[in-house]
Amino acid sequence: MDATAQRPSAPRGNSLPVVAICFASIVFDGYDLIVYGSVVPSLLAEPSWNLTPAQAGAIGSYALMGMLIGALAAGVITDIVGRRKIVIASVAWFSIAMVLCALAPSPELLGLFRFVAGLGLGGVVP
């Protein structure tokens, strides 16, 4: 072995908080999907929104499309910016977007906010 070759350094500090934050982020991802599935009957019953089941299904899938794009983008950006910054930004991003989903006044904005939340959720996965 060459004397100039370096061995990989051991992890510094306690990694338990990092694992806990990553675990919580993935749990909130699942929570987002479960909550939407739980409120679909109420959204369909809301007369002012006039949603069809197909439209409600499309709105539900916007978050998954956002997650795909977010995961692909975060994988590339992480190499440039760093993992820590991307995880923090992604958690903040989807937290704000989830609040906006709860306050959405129309189905169009709900779909947009779910897509935006998906971008943040996708950023946590890689």
Side-chain angles (χ1 to χ4, degrees):
M1 181 176 192
D2 188 345
T4 61
Q6 294 182 352
R7 293 183 181 159
S9 61
R12 290 177 275 148
N14 187 1
S15 60
L16 186 61
V18 174
V19 172
I21 290 170
C22 292
F23 176 77
S25 300
I26 298 301
V27 166
F28 284 118
D29 169 30
Y31 178 77
D32 173 61
L33 297 174
I34 290 170
V35 166
Y36 182 74
S38 299
V39 301
V40 165
S42 299
L43 295 177
L44 292 172
E46 177 60 39
S48 65
W49 280 30
N50 198 24
L51 274 179
T52 66
Q55 291 169 325
I59 291 171
S61 64
Y62 292 157
L64 298 174
M65 289 188 294
M67 286 177 68
L68 171 67
I69 295 168
L72 293 172
V76 173
I77 297 170
T78 297
D79 292 337
I80 299 166
V81 178
R83 290 182 187 103
R84 180 179 297 166
K85 290 178 183 176
I86 293 299
V87 168
I88 291 169
S90 294
V91 169
W93 183 283
F94 80 71
S95 298
I96 292 167
M98 283 184 179
V99 170
L100 292 173
C101 285
L103 302 174
S106 69
E108 294 82 15
L109 285 176
L110 177 61
L112 175 66
F113 296 150
R114 284 190 53 78
F115 177 78
V116 168
L119 292 172
L121 287 166
V124 172
V125 174

